[in-house]
C-alpha cells in the first residue's frame, strides 16, 4: 500500500560514497492532494529556509548532538594524549637511531656477509640505506603529527580519514625498518591504536557535521567531506 512506504520515501537519506564522503538525498515533493502535499505543508511550517530545522533541547536530534559532542570531547583527549606519547617515543627513536648508526651499520654488514649477498654490499652502501630509512622515518613523523593536530583542530572527517591512511603507511614503514634493525614495537602498536581511534573519531565527526546546531546552522565540515 502507498501509505506503508510513502513516509519512508519522504525522509532525507544519507549515503556514503566509495571515498568515504557523505551525500544527502532529499526526496522531491509529491503532487497536490496526496501524502506528499500534506507533508510539504507541514514541512514548510516547521522547516527553515535552508532546509534544516534547529533542534530544541528536548528533541532526539538535540540529545544525539549532545551525546556525540561528549563522546568526541572525551575520545579526542585520549587521541591527543596518544599523539603526545608517540611524539616523545618518536624523538627518542630517531635520537638513538642516529647515535647508534655505526653499530647498526656494522650489524647489517655482518648480516649481509653471512648471507647469499656476501660481497655485494659494502659499508658505504649499507650506511646510505640505513640513514635513508631513518630520515624517511623522521620526515614521516613530521607529516604524521602535523596531520594529527590538524584533524583535532579542525574536526573535519576528511582529515581523520587522511590521518588513518597515513597511520597505515607508518605501519608499513616500521616493518621496512625491521630490515635495517630499526624496528620499534611500542611505536608500531601506538600507530595501530591511532589508526583505530582516527577511524572512530572520523565516524563521530561525520555524524556531528550532519546534525544541525542549536542555532540552526550547519557545521561547515558537512561540506568538506
Amino acid at each position: 500500500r502507498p501509505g506503508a512506504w510513502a513516509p519512508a520515501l519522504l525522509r532525507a537519506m544519507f549515503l556514503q560514497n566509495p571515498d568515504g564522503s557523505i551525500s544527502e538525498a532529499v526526496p522531491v515533493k509529491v503532487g497536490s492532494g496526496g501524502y506528499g502535499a500534506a507533508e510539504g505543508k507541514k514541512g514548510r511550517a516547521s522547516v527553515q529556509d535552508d532546509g534544516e530545522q534547529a533542534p530544541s533541547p528536548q528533541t532526539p536530534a538535540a540529545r544525539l548532538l549532545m551525546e556525540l559532542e561528549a563522546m568526541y570531547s572525551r575520545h579526542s583527549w585520549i587521541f591527543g594524549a596518544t599523539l603526545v606519547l608517540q611524539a616523545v617515543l618518536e624523538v627518542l627513536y630517531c635520537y638513538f637511531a642516529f647515535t647508534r648508526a655505526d653499530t647498526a651499520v656494522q650489524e647489517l654488514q655482518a648480516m649481509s656477509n653471512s648471507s647469499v649477498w656476501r660481497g655485494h654490499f659494502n659499508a658505504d652502501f649499507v650506511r646510505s640505506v640505513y640513514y635513508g630509512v631513518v630520515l624517511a622515518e623522521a620526515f614521516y613523523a613530521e607529516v604524521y603529527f602535523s596531520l594529527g593536530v590538524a584533524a583535532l583542530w579542525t574536526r573535519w572527517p576528511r582529515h581523520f580519514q587522511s590521518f588513518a591512511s597515513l597511520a597505515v603507511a607508518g605501519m608499513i614503514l616500521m616493518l621496512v625498518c625491521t630490515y635495517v634493525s630499526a624496528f620499534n614495537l611500542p611505536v608500531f602498536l601506538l600507530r595501530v591504536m591511532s589508526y583505530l581511534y582516527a577511524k572512530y573519531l572520523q565516524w563521530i565527526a561525520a555524524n556531528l557535521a550532519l546534525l544541525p546546531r542549536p542555532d540552526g546552522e550547519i557545521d561547515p565540515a558537512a561540506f568538506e567531506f
Side-chain angles (χ1 to χ4, degrees), residues 163-209:
F163 179 85
S165 301
L166 193 61
V168 173
M171 299 176 207
I172 298 174
L173 178 60
M174 188 54 63
L175 293 177
V176 173
C177 292
T178 305
Y179 293 95
V180 294
S181 301
F183 180 79
N184 189 287
L185 182 60
V187 173
F188 180 82
L189 293 179
L190 284 173
R191 286 178 185 174
V192 174
M193 182 178 177
S194 296
Y195 166 80
L196 297 176
Y197 251 108
K199 297 298 289 185
Y200 181 61
L201 290 175
Q202 177 192 356
W203 175 81
I204 297 179
N207 284 276
L208 283 172

Side-chain angles (χ1 to χ4, degrees), residues 11 16 29 46 70 88 102 107 115 121 136 143 155 171 216:
R11 298 194 192 103
Q16 184 174 10
K29 295 288 188 295
S46 59
V88 174
D102 294 334
E107 294 175 354
S115 64
F121 302 125
V143 178
R155 206 168 73 175
M171 299 176 207

Side-chain angles (χ1 to χ4, degrees), residues 105-137:
V105 169
Q106 292 175 5
E107 294 175 354
L108 292 174
Q109 188 70 24
M111 291 172 57
S112 64
N113 290 334
S114 61
S115 64
V116 295
W117 301 101
R118 179 181 299 177
H120 288 76
F121 302 125
N122 55 30
D124 293 335
F125 176 79
V126 174
R127 186 182 300 273
S128 299
V129 172
Y130 179 82
Y131 277 115
V133 172
V134 175
L135 287 174
E137 173 68 24

